[in-house]
Amino acid sequence: MRMPANWFPGLTLVLVLALAWHPAPGAEDTAHKPLVTADVLAASKPSDWRPLDPQNTLYLELAGGRVVIELAPRFAPRHIENIRTLVRERYFDGVPIVRVQDDFVVQWNDPEGSRPLRSAEHAVPAEFMSAARGIPFTLLPDPDTYAPIVGFSDDFPTGRDPKTGRAWLVHCYGMVGAGRGNDVDSGNGAELYVVIGQAPRQLDRNITLVGRVVQGMELLSALPRGAGDLGFYAKAEQRVPITSVRLAAELPAAERLPLEVLRTDTPTFADLVESRRNRRDEWYKVPAGRIDVCNVPLPVRMRPGTASAH
Amino acid sequence: MRMPANWFPGLTLVLVLALAWHPAPGAEDTAHKPLVTADVLAASKPSDWRPLDPQNTLYLELAGGRVVIELAPRFAPRHIENIRTLVRERYFDGVPIVRVQDDFVVQWNDPEGSRPLRSAEHAVPAEFMSAARGIPFTLLPDPDTYAPIVGFSDDFPTGRDPKTGRAWLVHCYGMVGAGRGNDVDSGNGAELYVVIGQAPRQLDRNITLVGRVVQGMELLSALPRGAGDLGFYAKAEQRVPITSVRLAAELPAAERLPLEVLRTDTPTFADLVESRRNRRDEWYKVPAGRIDVCNVPLPVRMRPGTASAH
């Protein structure tokens, strides 16, 4: 075990430095602020965590287990309303994963295109960008290759352009988007994809992102890669069936997973980011001093005191 | 099939713009320069491609197939010499993949640490950075979050700091590194890891990178994730055995794979980069105008006219 942790192992606090990322509002006693990721999370308060909204939570069931997706309705309200309709009308039950392209995406859709959309829209106008005004935003201070500024809104990674006043979700690992044809307004949420490699940021502002995987990512990322063009499975029998997709709100409350995400508008999150910009466990010798928006962990946990259903 | 290609499908050339990335030395007739990736590669000349050096090529055999790794001796000569010794003395034959941490690394090493190193060094001095002077370098013009400047050297992605005069390989998807303990000089190449997710650039300059996977990446990236701490397989029987590791030079010439990589010091590569910075196929509506060093494809092919052995 000679490689460092990418997450939070039992790390040792080596340096207690008051190198605040940016002044964390409400952070008291910076001299004793925990600066290793595991310590930051251990010191978090219940109010630092936000339960998932059952109306914005999808349970995608595979033979291997459950994938949980959190939807981002502020950025893609029309696509998400259509996805909710598709889910309620059981459009996705039995739809297969048809494409796994290494270092790019996992994608599912009706391969024959014969499944009726029923009361869902056939085409939803593009939701590539939103007006930034009024959207909460926690700035990440480091330069980004693709966007003028980056940070977090509603606990999703986002980019912004102060000149145009636009904001958009960005294509990090685990982000979920809605496929479209060449017409920008041709997507409808019936075809979805999940990023499984290096962030394909060239897709930003070209396609509608609708959310992110918050649990079960490894059930998608470890699927066999498709040998056909663009990573499509060459043979129909290689496709991976989705048993069902449900909105958490469709399940009785007792059957919903008590998942919580760390709020990105908290001092705890600012500490977390700083703990990742400058690693302080003994293994690291040269702290990066910077972090890419897609390298910032967005922690998810089961609400403490609940039995793990997974 | 409503999502774009991440690689080179049968794209249509929509726009023929003379938006050169930076003036490509020797590029004639920019008005007709192909600017979609597939066209750039189709127009490449034999001299744009470099055959792999058999002394710098590893064949790692798994039950599922062969993984080919190209070593980067300019950046890690001592680690690579030790790896060659380990390979020649069959150290790796039967060593298992012990760790697959989602969005981070696949790692193999002797889990018991009992396998003799024989004539290999037990510890090799750190090779985290090199003197930049004298190392060929093709600059990428876009800003990078982690390094002052980035680009390509010997067809590997690299970072540089003009102030310190240092150069280093960077942790992109598919890069291969040598694990170490907390002591910077404690690595020896007997434990190796491959990046399988978002580029963990915080590792740059903290650990010795030795090369990259040039074929068979999907055999590693699609492995089941480990459920133990740090993605280690919780049970010994989940480990994935490596049948053998050989230097290509150990095989008769006729049995070596005739792989070639695109040279990054060519006008063709400059055109390729530009075709990725500004996608011109019809699907894209907002060209990124930028590219991350880890999003630049580093094409590999079988030498034309050879039968595919894979």
Side-chain angles (χ1 to χ4, degrees):
Chain A
M1 199 169 80
R2 301 154 65 100
M3 273 283 295
N6 194 31
W7 195 229
F8 50 97
L11 301 175
T12 310
L13 184 60
V14 188
L15 298 171
V16 180
L17 297 176
L19 295 171
W21 165 45
H22 62 71
E28 321 85 343
D29 197 2
T30 54
H32 293 92
K33 203 161 53 169
L35 288 167
V36 170
T37 305
D39 294 335
V40 172
L41 291 173
S44 69
K45 295 174 290 191
S47 60
D48 293 330
W49 299 83
R50 173 178 62 76
L52 293 188
D53 180 343
Q55 288 291 346
N56 293 326
T57 305
L58 295 180
Y59 296 155
L60 184 147
E61 308 289 348
L62 301 171
R66 174 180 287 177
V67 177
V68 182
I69 294 169
E70 183 183 20
L71 300 170
R74 196 193 298 265
F75 288 91
R78 297 188 62 168
H79 279 77
I80 287 170
E81 192 47 51
N82 216 45
I83 290 169
R84 289 195 193 103
T85 299
L86 292 164
V87 168
R88 286 198 202 97
E89 297 183 352
R90 307 300 181 237
Y91 174 85
F92 290 107
D93 294 15
V95 158
I97 293 168
V98 295
R99 177 187 187 190
V100 183
Q101 184 172 1
D102 195 50
D103 193 21
F104 194 40
V105 294
V106 169
Q107 175 183 319
W108 56 93
N109 61 266
D110 172 16
E112 277 77 38
S114 57
R115 202 171 277 250
L117 293 173
R118 299 177 59 187
S119 48
E121 301 288 341
H122 288 244
V124 177
E127 296 176 299
F128 303 166
M129 291 183 271
S130 305
R133 190 170 174 176
I135 299 181
F137 183 63
T138 301
L139 177 73
L140 193 68
D142 300 317
D144 182 78
T145 300
Y146 291 90
I149 57 174
V150 288
F152 302 89
S153 297
D154 296 344
D155 315 323
F156 288 91
T158 56
R160 284 193 169 210
D161 186 345
K163 285 186 191 162
T164 62
R166 309 299 281 173
W168 56 91
L169 296 170
V170 297
H171 280 81
C172 295
Y173 192 90
M175 290 293 285
V176 182
R180 65 162 174 87
N182 282 349
D183 177 351
V184 294
D185 298 323
S186 60
N188 60 20
E191 173 189 311
L192 295 170
Y193 64 91
V194 178
V195 172
I196 58 162
Q198 174 69 15
R201 298 282 306 278
Q202 74 279 1
L203 297 179
D204 293 356
R205 301 179 294 155
N206 278 287
I207 191 164
T208 301
L209 284 166
V210 299
R212 72 177 175 104
V213 173
V214 293
Q215 184 178 290
M217 186 62 199
E218 70 284 359
L219 299 171
L220 301 175
S221 58
L223 289 174
R225 276 46 182 164
D229 284 347
L230 308 181
F232 281 86
Y233 287 123
K235 296 173 188 170
E237 60 266 31
Q238 296 171 314
R239 294 173 186 152
V240 179
I242 294 170
T243 312
S244 69
V245 178
R246 296 287 178 273
L247 262 181
E250 293 184 286
L251 274 65
E255 293 177 23
R256 298 174 198 154
L257 292 176
L259 290 170
E260 300 181 329
V261 299
L262 186 69
R263 297 178 63 111
T264 55
D265 57 355
T266 58
T268 296
F269 183 73
D271 289 349
L272 176 86
V273 172
E274 174 52 24
S275 78
R276 306 301 279 188
R277 295 177 76 238
N278 291 293
R279 299 288 188 101
R280 291 177 178 81
D281 52 299
E282 194 179 351
W283 188 90
Y284 283 92
K285 308 305 175 185
V286 180
R290 306 278 183 90
I291 196 165
D292 187 285
V293 66
C294 291
N295 281 123
V296 174
L298 296 171
V300 178
R301 71 174 187 184
M302 297 292 265
R303 188 170 63 244
T306 58
S308 172
H310 189 75
Chain B
M1 198 168 81
R2 301 155 63 101
M3 275 281 296
N6 195 29
W7 193 231
F8 51 96
L11 299 176
T12 310
L13 185 59
V14 188
L15 298 172
V16 181
L17 297 176
L19 295 172
W21 165 45
H22 63 70
E28 320 85 344
D29 198 2
T30 54
H32 293 93
K33 205 162 50 172
L35 288 167
V36 170
T37 305
D39 293 335
V40 171
L41 291 173
S44 69
K45 294 174 292 191
S47 59
D48 293 331
W49 298 83
R50 172 179 62 77
L52 293 188
D53 179 343
Q55 288 291 346
N56 293 326
T57 305
L58 295 180
Y59 297 155
L60 185 148
E61 308 288 349
L62 301 171
R66 174 180 285 176
V67 177
V68 182
I69 294 169
E70 183 183 21
L71 301 169
R74 195 193 298 265
F75 288 90
R78 298 188 62 169
H79 279 76
I80 287 170
E81 192 47 50
N82 217 44
I83 289 168
R84 290 196 194 102
T85 300
L86 291 164
V87 168
R88 285 196 202 96
E89 297 182 351
R90 306 299 182 237
Y91 174 86
F92 290 107
D93 294 15
V95 158
I97 293 168
V98 294
R99 177 188 187 189
V100 183
Q101 184 171 2
D102 195 52
D103 194 21
F104 195 39
V105 294
V106 168
Q107 175 184 319
W108 56 93
N109 61 267
D110 173 15
E112 278 76 40
S114 58
R115 203 170 275 249
L117 293 173
R118 301 176 60 188
S119 48
E121 302 288 341
H122 287 243
V124 177
E127 296 176 299
F128 303 166
M129 290 181 271
S130 304
R133 191 171 173 177
I135 298 181
F137 183 62
T138 300
L139 176 72
L140 192 67
D142 300 316
D144 182 77
T145 299
Y146 291 90
I149 57 174
V150 288
F152 301 89
S153 297
D154 296 344
D155 315 324
F156 288 90
T158 57
R160 285 193 167 206
D161 186 345
K163 285 185 189 162
T164 62
R166 309 299 281 173
W168 56 92
L169 295 171
V170 297
H171 280 82
C172 296
Y173 192 90
M175 291 292 285
V176 182
R180 66 163 173 85
N182 282 348
D183 178 352
V184 294
D185 299 322
S186 62
N188 59 20
E191 173 189 310
L192 295 171
Y193 65 91
V194 178
V195 172
I196 59 162
Q198 175 68 16
R201 297 284 304 280
Q202 73 281 0
L203 297 178
D204 293 355
R205 301 178 296 154
N206 278 286
I207 192 162
T208 301
L209 284 167
V210 300
R212 71 176 175 105
V213 173
V214 292
Q215 185 178 291
M217 186 62 199
E218 70 284 359
L219 298 171
L220 301 174
S221 59
L223 289 172
R225 276 45 182 164
D229 285 348
L230 307 182
F232 281 87
Y233 287 123
K235 298 173 186 168
E237 61 266 30
Q238 297 171 313
R239 293 172 187 153
V240 179
I242 294 170
T243 311
S244 69
V245 178
R246 296 288 179 273
L247 263 180
E250 294 184 287
L251 275 65
E255 293 178 21
R256 298 173 199 155
L257 293 176
L259 290 171
E260 301 181 328
V261 300
L262 186 69
R263 298 178 64 112
T264 56
D265 58 355
T266 58
T268 295
F269 183 73
D271 289 349
L272 177 87
V273 172
E274 173 52 24
S275 78
R276 307 301 279 186
R277 295 177 77 239
N278 290 294
R279 299 289 187 102
R280 292 177 179 79
D281 52 300
E282 193 178 352
W283 188 89
Y284 283 92
K285 308 304 175 183
V286 181
R290 306 277 183 91
I291 196 164
D292 188 285
V293 66
C294 292
N295 281 123
V296 175
L298 297 171
V300 178
R301 70 174 187 183
M302 297 292 264
R303 188 171 62 244
T306 58
S308 172
H310 190 75

